[in-house]
Amino acid sequence: MATVDPERAARILLAATDALQLQWLLEPDIDMAADLTALYGVLMAALRDHT
């Protein structure tokens, strides 16, 4: 079973949230909260699959 490096996971999460913020600045109509909720769901499912 692969372990999750918390520092790497944090970098990936920050990169994704930064990218969503930039997209929102360019296109304010996107639902950033919904996208972050979807990202959270994907990450939590991935973590559950590895425990």
Side-chain angles (χ1 to χ4, degrees):
M1 176 186 328
T3 60
V4 175
D5 176 10
E7 290 181 11
R8 177 174 284 163
R11 282 193 304 272
I12 292 168
L13 182 58
L14 286 173
T17 57
D18 284 351
L20 283 171
Q21 288 177 12
L22 288 173
Q23 287 181 346
W24 176 78
L25 286 172
L26 294 172
E27 188 179 342
D29 292 338
I30 70 164
D31 188 350
M32 191 169 57
D35 290 343
L36 289 172
T37 299
L39 175 61
Y40 175 79
V42 168
L43 293 175
M44 293 307 293
L47 289 173
R48 278 192 296 273
D49 291 345
H50 285 91
T51 59

